[in-house]
Amino acid sequence: MADSKVSRRDFIKGLGAAGAVASVAAVFTEASAAAKAPSAYAGWENRRGTEYFDRSRFEVAKPESYQVVGTLKRRDTRVYDSRARLGGHQRGEDAVTKYDAGDPFWADYYAKNPADGDGLPQPDTDRMLRDEWYPPQQAIVEAGAERRTEFATTGEGFLAAAWSIAYQDFSYPRPSSPPEEADWEEVSTVRGEFKSPELASKFIKGIAANFGATLCRITEAQPAWFYANGLRGVEEDVAIGDEFEIRPWWKYAIVVTRPMEFDALGADPNFGNSYSGYNPSTYVATHVARSIKALGYPSRVEAPMAGYEMFVVPFAVDAGFGELARTCNCVSPDMGGNFRQSVVLTNLPLAMDKPINAGVADFCKKCKICSEYCWTGSISMDDEPNWEEAGVLRWDVNGFTCSMGWNQVSGGDSYPENAPGGGLRGCRACISVCPWYRRTNWLHNSVRSFVANDPTGLADDFSLQFERAVYERRDPSLWLAPEMKGVHDEPDWLRTADFIKSFSDTPLGEA
Amino acid sequence: MTAGLIAGIGLTLAFVGFYAWAQDKGWTIKWWQWTLLILASGLLLLGVGALGTSLAEGTAAAGWLLFGMAALVAVVMGFAALRPVRAS
């Protein structure tokens, strides 16, 4: 046997070099896979007892992302913000138009509320919004109407619209009778008494996970978060200033959630939809509620596609999903604002979860990226929460200008009948530009942990500088017609031009 | 799991190979120099991981910046570790 030309020593050195290359390749490959794994899509790693973000370390006795500064007051959805009051203004059905015509309901409202939350005089502020602010904004809507219709019916939004409407056009049961009947309908005559509230909670969370909830937490059914009006299943609404009765069996609030489709949300305001969160979270809540009735307890669903008698965001905050953010939605450390929550009310004795302080609201004080990107200027730019409403101090979000923004992108228009454009609903851009909207992989989880665990605030500053320096977001001017781009590019599976060869008239009813 | 195993074995081989190479050069590497080298290689691999994840996510700019920063610090650490032996 001939002597080898490679000495043992050189072989070891060569093996070492190969090992170094193998290490780099293995890490690179694994890291790439981590970005694309199904569990990397925010929220989807959250299953029974396996949440990667351990909330227990950040639990606090009471929510710290909003402050109760006065007497908590239930809000009337007909009057509580300008969006509610000015709805129907195109048809002359808004509050101030009716008030000027002598409507006693609105005369009573404006008499009792001479100033809005900013201290501006009412009804003059509502008149100003209607007569001065609205017309030029509506002109933007009208100027882009043709392009938006084309976008969704024969343009680049065709596939997104077809996908979206499938989530949207689905019915869930709504209460059609008063709570005394609806909440007790189908309740089992046999009641199962759990050995402990903890075990009952464990079972309910298991059911929620089984039906697809990515997160389920339980809190007290705080009466102040219920609307004052609009009880489902009753014929007549309450008078202004009155409140419907909180039923005694609405004791616990089981909050369930599912994220919206991650990649489509990133391509908002034109390619995503809220229904990819609304529909599944309603689905989960409906099934959890049915299961509770089978246990022998009443239940009531408060969900996007079944109707609400409450603001669900504070319930999510109280339950410890996340914190009340600058956008006034609940932003969680693991999902950002990318989720839509539903609530199940019951009196089944349950162990309650606690709210959390994981540094989200503190981060919001410095960040302001959502405010900068909202072209309607609806989100407060103030450093600290300074908007007091119904006894709660938080940041201000103008619902009226925000809803106008929805109409200026791919939502709110009247699309041709049976065309899929109605399935698109803008805009959620404040969620997709948020730094907390990131995949759940080792890279972003490290940053989340870094920010959540640093009491000095330096981690906020560092990560925010990095965020602004390297993470690109498309300029809002390109979101509106005629460009109609997203914050990020749409995902491959929603690229109409890659899938659709041509459009033609559907031969309805023919083979 | 598999990737971690490959990376671990690969890194062990790399250090064995490096040790052989350093001995041939007559270098004596002390414990603190080994520590620095291990930390530097770990940092470099972190940078590679950040690059891989970011490229796959479509956030290449962030990945290259993270990799660049990690590589720079790793190289500085490597030089700091080996400069004394090279000078001796």
Side-chain angles (χ1 to χ4, degrees), chain A residues 31-333:
Chain A
S32 300
K36 294 176 177 173
S39 61
Y41 288 84
W44 287 107
E45 84 294 349
N46 287 328
R47 296 289 291 181
R48 231 177 308 188
T50 60
E51 288 86 6
Y52 92 84
F53 192 89
D54 182 5
R55 282 171 167 73
S56 63
R57 296 184 52 240
F58 300 98
E59 285 180 343
V60 289
K62 61 176 188 173
E64 296 176 0
S65 54
Y66 66 82
Q67 281 184 297
V68 176
V69 291
T71 306
L72 290 173
K73 188 181 167 191
R74 289 167 59 189
R75 282 163 287 181
D76 190 314
T77 57
R78 296 164 295 188
V79 305
Y80 79 89
D81 73 2
S82 53
R83 179 185 184 184
R85 290 195 302 275
L86 294 173
H89 52 285
Q90 296 138 306
R91 301 183 301 277
E93 294 172 3
D94 60 290
V96 74
T97 303
K98 287 182 176 177
Y99 168 74
D100 289 339
D103 186 304
F105 178 93
W106 290 108
D108 185 33
Y109 165 72
Y110 285 118
K112 288 175 179 170
N113 298 277
D116 68 10
D118 275 333
L120 297 171
Q122 294 199 87
D124 289 349
T125 308
D126 284 353
R127 281 198 195 94
M128 183 278 291
L129 280 168
R130 182 193 63 187
D131 300 335
E132 296 174 31
W133 185 87
Y134 175 78
Q137 297 295 323
Q138 179 61 16
I140 297 174
V141 176
E142 288 166 8
E146 194 176 330
R147 164 64 177 130
R148 283 196 299 281
T149 301
E150 184 268 332
F151 172 85
T153 52
T154 56
E156 60 270 46
F158 180 76
L159 288 184
W163 161 68
S164 178
I165 204 163
Y167 266 128
Q168 182 183 343
D169 276 6
F170 196 87
S171 297
Y172 288 95
R174 293 169 183 249
S176 56
S177 54
E180 287 70 20
E181 294 173 26
D183 297 3
W184 291 85
E185 196 178 344
E186 296 178 316
V187 171
S188 170
T189 53
V190 178
R191 172 171 285 189
E193 307 275 356
F194 280 87
K195 290 181 177 176
S196 72
E198 287 74 19
L199 286 173
S201 290
K202 184 178 180 182
F203 175 76
I204 292 299
K205 289 180 180 182
I207 292 287
N210 184 262
F211 281 102
T214 53
L215 198 57
C216 172
R217 289 173 74 90
I218 299 161
T219 186
E220 174 194 11
Q222 162 64 264
W225 308 146
F226 283 80
Y227 299 150
N229 67 308
L231 183 64
R232 291 168 296 165
V234 297
E235 286 187 10
E236 286 203 12
D237 209 345
V238 297
I240 190 81
D242 286 349
E243 299 171 343
F244 66 76
E245 179 200 350
I246 302 291
R247 302 311 199 254
W249 56 89
W250 298 348
K251 196 171 178 185
Y252 300 97
I254 302 160
V255 191
V256 296
T257 197
R258 280 269 293 256
M260 291 172 279
E261 209 290 318
F262 187 88
D263 286 330
L265 180 77
D268 265 328
N270 289 308
F271 290 88
N273 66 79
S274 297
Y275 289 94
S276 62
Y278 284 164
N279 186 324
S281 95
T282 307
Y283 175 88
V284 175
T286 302
H287 287 82
V288 168
R290 182 66 190 87
S291 193
I292 289 172
K293 286 184 172 180
L295 296 172
Y297 298 86
S299 64
R300 188 173 185 82
V301 174
E302 307 279 337
M305 293 181 76
Y308 302 109
E309 280 111 3
M310 57 166 61
F311 294 94
V312 289
V313 167
F315 283 98
V317 174
D318 290 355
F321 273 55
E323 299 173 42
L324 192 68
R326 180 175 290 277
T327 48
C328 283
N329 60 347
C330 179
V331 171
S332 79

Side-chain angles (χ1 to χ4, degrees), chain A residues 9-10 12-20 22-36 438-439 441-444 462 466 469-472, chain B residues 1 3-4 6-11 13-21 23-24 45-46 48-57 59 61-62 65-66 69:
Chain A
R9 199 160 192 84
D10 286 343
I12 289 172
K13 284 190 268 184
L15 200 61
S23 294
V24 169
V27 168
F28 185 87
T29 306
E30 181 68 12
S32 300
K36 294 176 177 173
R438 289 276 177 260
R439 284 182 173 87
N441 54 46
W442 70 278
L443 184 60
H444 303 302
F462 180 78
F466 192 83
V470 299
Y471 284 108
E472 296 167 355
Chain B
M1 176 67 184
I6 293 171
I9 294 169
L11 212 55
L13 290 174
F15 275 107
V16 170
F18 173 76
Y19 184 51
W21 182 73
Q23 276 189 330
D24 286 353
L45 283 183
L46 266 181
V48 169
L51 179 64
T53 297
S54 300
L55 288 179
E57 281 183 352
T59 53
L65 184 70
L66 279 170
M69 284 164 53

